Amino acid sequence: MTPRQARRDAMTVEIGYAVVTGTLLAAAVFCLLAVPLLLLDLARPVRRGLLVTASGAAGLAFAVRAVGVLWRFGDAYPQRRPDAGAHEGT
């Protein structure tokens, strides 16, 4: 396996990891914030507001987790430009 193929495979695995863990975190956040809907008898506008808030927080949690995982992966394997250093002496 070439280093380039190994890098692409590692990136594929990391993207899968970011998506799976982001989804699990989003589901946990949504469930945590939506529990009062099951336990309390709330008015319709309050229920809708709670659902919107839970959905927004879940989406934000997913995005933060996925970006964080991929950002750390990018820091661990910095991109090297093929022409880096070619023009340093000029």
Side-chain angles (χ1 to χ4, degrees):
M1 179 181 301
T2 66
R4 185 175 183 184
Q5 181 64 40
R7 168 100 170 114
R8 286 185 8 211
D9 289 349
M11 184 55 134
T12 300
V13 169
E14 201 67 22
I15 290 170
Y17 175 74
V19 168
V20 169
T21 59
T23 301
L24 291 174
L25 179 63
V29 168
F30 181 84
C31 288
L32 182 69
L33 294 177
V35 163
L37 294 173
L38 300 173
L39 301 177
L40 303 173
D41 186 26
L42 301 171
R44 180 172 279 192
V46 175
R47 292 177 68 87
R48 179 178 292 265
L50 194 54
L51 277 175
V52 168
T53 301
S55 298
L60 182 63
F62 174 84
V64 167
R65 175 64 181 167
V67 168
V69 167
L70 296 176
W71 199 284
R72 280 194 314 271
F73 178 76
D75 287 345
Y77 296 97
Q79 295 280 86
R80 291 192 317 170
R81 292 189 350 229
D83 64 343
H87 302 290
E88 288 182 9
T90 58

